[in-house]
Amino acid sequence: MSQKNKLQYIILGLLARQDLTGYDIKKLFEGEVGDFWRSNHSQVYPELRKMAGKGLITAYTATVGTKMEKTYYKIAPPGKDLLTAWMHEPLGDLVPSRDDFTMKLYLIDDPRDPLIAQLFAEEIARHTVKLAYLEQRWQELFASSEKQQQHYGHALILTLARNREHDYLTWLKAHQPKEK
Amino acid sequence: MSQKNKLQYIILGLLARQDLTGYDIKKLFEGEVGDFWRSNHSQVYPELRKMAGKGLITAYTATVGTKMEKTYYKIAPPGKDLLTAWMHEPLGDLVPSRDDFTMKLYLIDDPRDPLIAQLFAEEIARHTVKLAYLEQRWQELFASSEKQQQHYGHALILTLARNREHDYLTWLKAHQPKEK
DNA sequence: TAAACCATGTAACCCGTTACATGATTAT
DNA sequence: ATAATCATGTAACGGGTTACATGGTTTA
């Protein structure tokens, strides 16, 4: 076994809510799911066929306009079982992030290196953007409280991500070297 | 171009400090570098030869015992240039984490689902372990203040990681659903 | 009618993991 | 002597990215 196929689990999770086409899933990965998971259609379409081949999901087609066919996928009982099993499986090990900022900083030995200030500035900039984005997403999705109850987990992870960004930025700003 | 070869940069960064064998690098990835970057020897050795082929680094051998040869690598001027260029290059985009906990939570719509409490418990457990580990690492490496000045970046990212874990755990515990 | 979007597909390539493999050297 | 560690190598495979490719449908 090499890496484990997590893509199939998230696809199963999405299909557990409603039937979707490959294109729908691609759009989700570009949109709301994309905040914490990304995948390209070149991976999604083959994966869906593979899963259908295993009997985890079933396919059916709908015609749009005069000749365009789109393929919907529906979760099947074995798929539901697999999803449930995965959801209850213990969380895997935490893996190192391979983050640019961390890697570069690690390689700087001299506290007076001007690169440190530059790296902090860049890191603060990109996380500030991320924080603003997350807050805007929250507004868009959960401004009304019904929605917050309908997709509880989604609301929770957005809050979580927002909070992490906020705390991290606070730390970064507190430890940012002064420009001279 | 597909993914960009970051491994070569970290190898260059390590070789900028001192000459190392493939085995040394492997050991670093299992040890202090491994806290934020991992790589197997099956990737390291070929990469080193590839880099030597490009002229980024040069190789020389030393004999151990009677017949065992080990190959040391030394950074070459083109390698130094490439490393400097990379260090000054702006940080890349933040990529979604594909984290288990986040993914699973996202898929839970019902706030009363008992899985939420289980996931929080597991997430708290694994991050508590991580936090303890980071604090222990700090003690090991930077208990004396000279070392802290010798490897400033390393000390900084350990502090940073420790702090993130701490803040995150605080948030998790505050939002953890009560068991009933 | 042209641009934007819907919808699906394949191929090449790289990165990273796991596993298989071999032999020398040092420590117990 | 035997085990642990040093030291290096290759092969197979899976997952993910980028690019190439095609054609239908809706909207301005």
Side-chain angles (χ1 to χ4, degrees), chain A residues 85-99:
Chain A
W86 173 71
M87 287 292 287
H88 288 266
E89 196 171 278
L91 297 174
D93 291 334
L94 288 170
V95 284
S97 61
R98 280 164 179 161
D99 172 68

Side-chain angles (χ1 to χ4, degrees), chain A residues 54-73:
Chain A
K54 286 185 194 165
L56 299 173
I57 57 179
T58 55
Y60 62 92
T61 55
T63 309
V64 181
T66 56
K67 47 178 78 164
M68 208 173 86
E69 296 252 303
K70 55 180 182 177
T71 308
Y72 278 94
Y73 291 92

Side-chain angles (χ1 to χ4, degrees), chain B residues 123-135:
Chain B
E123 181 76 340
I124 288 170
R126 66 178 187 169
H127 282 277
T128 300
V129 169
K130 182 75 187 269
L131 176 59
Y133 169 78
L134 289 170
E135 288 179 338

Side-chain angles (χ1 to χ4, degrees), chain B residues 95-156:
Chain B
V95 283
S97 60
R98 279 165 179 161
D99 172 67
D100 281 30
F101 174 71
T102 311
M103 279 171 57
K104 290 183 179 179
L105 212 45
Y106 169 77
L107 294 171
I108 298 175
D109 293 329
D110 183 353
R112 292 156 310 169
D113 194 322
L115 251 179
I116 300 174
Q118 189 192 316
L119 287 171
F120 266 79
E122 286 174 20
E123 181 76 340
I124 288 170
R126 66 178 187 169
H127 282 277
T128 300
V129 169
K130 182 75 187 269
L131 176 59
Y133 169 78
L134 289 170
E135 288 179 338
Q136 174 222 323
R137 291 290 291 159
W138 171 271
Q139 285 302 315
E140 278 172 28
L141 295 170
F142 303 110
S144 68
S145 67
E146 321 91 73
K147 284 217 164 183
Q148 209 174 134
Q149 293 306 309
Q150 269 169 32
H151 291 292
Y152 186 76
H154 190 186
L156 204 52

